[in-house]
């Protein structure tokens, strides 16, 4: 009964380093999403994948890339991390439009 | 930008009903109103959604005005565990959630 699993839960990077945040869902959902949340703010959409094989930009895509590896997995890559990317990153999935999202527990990323 | 406006914060006494308002005067006819909550720094949790009719589930009730310009989320018997930030979100056909800052609900003993 895992739902949406994100790894890692915590990460500290140095400026300029790269890393990939992993997300997997076991609910056979079609759509997957990546959000970031800065302190005291709501969530902002980075990228989404409406279905396997497709990805689209959200509100704040600059500095990120994504891969929908298969129906289960949707990864977020930071090629050259910057302090402005310090945030909590949430992955979510849904059956499709106008259905509720299930969120993961988040990855807390600090870039120093 | 979020198409909804909510009060920044609200208090509610434990055991009483919590009524959280949301204004969405500019949403279109095919946009659903969704409610999520975020407890501390956990991932947001889906509560309920509706289009025109009032909705009820095991967590809450959603009352949408006839003109669809506003809605109210009702937690019938608030507990301390309902303390959270509550987000009211209008979702169009593309289905992407656009979060605002939400309402911080504090349930007090």
């Amino acid at each position: 009964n895992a739902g949406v699993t994100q790894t890692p839960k915590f990460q500290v990077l140095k400026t300029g380093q790269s890393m990939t945040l992993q997300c997997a869902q076991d609910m056979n959902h079609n759509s997957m999403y990546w959000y970031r949340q800065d302190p005291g703010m709501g969530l902002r959409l980075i990228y989404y994948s409406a279905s396997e094989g497709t990805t689209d930009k959200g509100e704040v895509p600059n500095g990120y890339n994504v891969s929908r590896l298969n129906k289960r997995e949707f990864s977020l890559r930071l090629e050259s991390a910057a302090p402005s990317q310090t945030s909590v990153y949430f992955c979510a999935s849904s059956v499709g439009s106008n259905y509720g999202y299930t969120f993961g527990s988040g990855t807390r990323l600090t870039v120093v | 930008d979020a198409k909804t406006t909510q009060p920044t914060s609200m208090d509610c006494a434990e055991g009483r009903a919590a009524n959280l308002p949301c204004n969405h005067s500019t949403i279109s006819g095919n946009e659903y109103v969704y409610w999520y909550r975020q407890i501390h720094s956990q991932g947001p949790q889906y509560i309920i959604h509706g289009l025109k009719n009032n909705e009820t589930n095991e967590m809450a009730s959603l009352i949408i005005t006839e003109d669809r310009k506003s809605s109210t989320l009702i937690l019938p018997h608030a507990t301390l565990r309902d303390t959270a930030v509550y987000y009211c979100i209008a979702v169009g056909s593309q289905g992407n959630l656009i979060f605002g800052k939400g309402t911080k609900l504090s349930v007090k003993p």
Side-chain angles (χ1 to χ4, degrees), chain A residues 35 37 48 97-99 101 108, chain B residues 34 36 38 41 93 95 97:
Chain A
Y35 287 86
Q37 185 174 33
Y48 66 98
S97 298
N98 294 324
Y99 288 86
Y101 289 19
R108 284 146 184 81
Chain B
Y34 276 73
Y36 284 76
Q38 189 174 25
S41 53
S93 58
L97 297 180

Side-chain angles (χ1 to χ4, degrees), chain A residues 41-52:
Chain A
M41 304 291 289
L43 282 73
R44 291 185 291 171
L45 183 64
I46 305 172
Y47 270 94
Y48 66 98
S49 171
S51 61
E52 186 179 356

